[in-house]
Amino acid sequence: MTVRAILHMGDPRLLEPARPVSDFSDPALQTLLVDMHETMAAAGGVGLAAPQIGVGLQVVVFGFERSDRYPQAEPVPRTVLINPVVTPIGDDEDLGWEGCLSVPDLRGEVPRWRRIRYRGFDAAGRTIDRSADGFHARVVQHECDHLAGVLYPMRIRDFRRFGFIDALPPDVAAIDPD
Ligand code: NI
């Protein structure tokens, strides 16, 4: 069990597309998942993608029952999601403020699909097939973007809605997906 270093924006490894997991029985996968949970907990995040700790595999973890940092946030089921595929349901988008453990001290307003279906596999290789909306949908889109080498600033449309947490107006009720 190891808390791993989180890569910061500018590291080219965050821009590389991740490879799918092919062997769910590989002990290294279970070790990776333990490390990801430890790292996420130590950082106080609600999600983490494997490329953020320098592992180029299609693995994300997310979820919380209640966040002390974000008591107003709706709960998101604790999930290990491997080889995910995300598709929008409908055309509606929501704008919401996001942060990222790989982009410390900053937040920006990011458009995301309001409602999505996501499919993939859990740690044992069992199928996951869910629909989600709201913050749950935002977290999944944010984490799965990491697997495509996309960081949230690359999705910002209005850069007036991007800045340092300590300088943004206090009414910016941002919730950091990770
Ligand atoms: Ni992130």
Side-chain angles (χ1 to χ4, degrees):
M1 304 216 295
T2 310
V3 173
R4 305 271 291 264
I6 295 173
L7 306 185
H8 286 171
M9 184 171 65
D11 190 307
R13 288 173 287 180
L14 289 170
L15 302 176
E16 291 172 8
R19 305 180 306 281
V21 169
S22 55
D23 181 4
F24 286 83
S25 66
D26 185 347
L29 176 63
Q30 304 310 319
T31 302
L32 170 65
L33 289 168
V34 170
D35 287 357
M36 287 178 69
H37 281 111
E38 295 266 306
T39 303
M40 180 174 78
V46 299
L48 190 74
Q52 291 183 276
I53 57 169
V55 176
L57 290 171
Q58 293 178 14
V59 178
V60 303
V61 299
F62 57 84
F64 62 96
E65 285 88 43
R66 187 180 180 286
S67 168
D68 289 335
R69 281 170 76 191
Y70 313 112
Q72 78 278 23
E74 59 194 90
V76 173
R78 290 187 181 278
T79 303
V80 169
L81 183 63
I82 298 171
N83 300 351
V85 176
V86 178
T87 51
I89 300 173
D91 297 327
D92 292 339
E93 290 180 347
D94 286 325
L95 283 170
W97 289 85
E98 296 185 13
C100 178
L101 295 172
S102 295
V103 191
D105 304 327
L106 290 158
R107 282 176 177 161
E109 195 178 51
V110 182
R112 299 288 185 187
W113 300 114
R114 178 173 297 166
R115 190 167 159 75
I116 59 168
R117 178 183 183 188
Y118 65 92
R119 286 167 282 180
F121 301 92
D122 71 9
R126 294 178 295 244
T127 299
I128 292 172
D129 187 345
R130 294 179 186 157
S131 57
D133 58 15
F135 183 57
H136 183 176
R138 180 170 295 276
V139 169
V140 172
Q141 289 171 85
H142 178 112
E143 298 309 334
C144 292
D145 260 1
H146 279 294
L147 305 181
V150 175
L151 301 169
Y152 83 80
M154 297 154 72
R155 294 205 180 272
I156 292 173
R157 293 182 185 145
D158 181 352
F159 280 94
R160 294 171 300 182
R161 309 281 282 172
F162 182 49
F164 289 93
I165 293 167
D166 63 6
L168 285 164
D171 63 330
V172 171
I175 299 169
D176 303 334
D178 71 46

